[in-house]
C-alpha cells in the first residue's frame, strides 16, 4: 500500500503544479509581467507533466522490485522537483518585488 500512497503523493504534487500554473495565468496578469509569467507557467506545466509520467514509471519499478524482492533505490526526482519549486518561487518573488 505504501507504493500506491507514494504514487498518489507524486500525482498530487503534479496537480498542485498545474493549479499553480493556472492560478498564475488566470489571476496574476497585472501582478507578474508577461515576460516572466509565461515562461514560468510553461515550465510549471512541463514539470507537472514530466512528474506525472515519472510517478507512473517509478510506481512500476518499485512494484516490480517488491514482487521480485530486489533492492529499492532512492529517487533523484525529489532533488530535481525541490530545485524547480525553489527556482519558481525565487523568480516569482523577484518579479513581484520588481513591479
Amino acid at each position: 500500500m505504501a507504493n500506491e500512497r507514494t504514487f498518489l503523493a507524486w500525482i498530487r504534487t503534479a496537480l498542485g503544479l498545474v493549479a499553480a500554473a493556472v492560478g498564475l495565468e488566470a489571476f496574476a496578469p497585472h501582478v507578474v509581467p508577461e515576460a516572466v509569467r509565461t515562461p514560468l507557467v510553461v515550465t510549471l506545466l512541463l514539470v507537472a507533466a514530466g512528474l506525472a509520467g515519472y510517478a507512473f514509471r517509478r510506481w512500476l519499478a518499485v512494484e516490480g522490485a517488491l514482487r521480485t524482492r530486489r533492492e529499492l533505490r532512492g529517487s533523484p526526482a525529489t532533488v530535481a522537483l525541490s530545485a524547480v519549486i525553489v527556482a519558481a518561487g525565487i523568480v516569482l518573488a523577484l518579479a513581484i518585488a520588481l513591479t
Side-chain angles (χ1 to χ4, degrees):
M1 296 303 239
N3 192 28
E4 288 82 6
R5 284 192 304 271
T6 303
F7 170 76
L8 291 173
W10 285 105
I11 294 298
R12 277 192 308 272
T13 303
L15 286 171
L17 291 174
V18 169
V22 169
L24 268 173
E25 189 60 31
F27 301 117
H30 302 295
V31 179
V32 181
E34 186 176 349
V36 174
R37 191 178 72 250
T38 300
L40 187 56
V41 166
V42 169
T43 300
L44 289 173
L45 290 172
L46 291 175
V47 169
L51 188 58
Y54 173 80
F56 182 70
R57 282 189 29 233
R58 176 79 178 159
W59 177 81
L60 282 177
V62 170
E63 192 70 20
L66 288 171
R67 291 183 187 277
T68 59
R69 298 184 189 269
R70 286 181 284 135
E71 184 177 335
L72 298 172
R73 297 182 308 127
S75 173
T78 55
V79 174
L81 179 61
S82 297
V84 167
I85 292 172
V86 167
I90 290 170
V91 167
L92 187 57
L94 287 174
I96 291 171
L98 298 176
T99 42

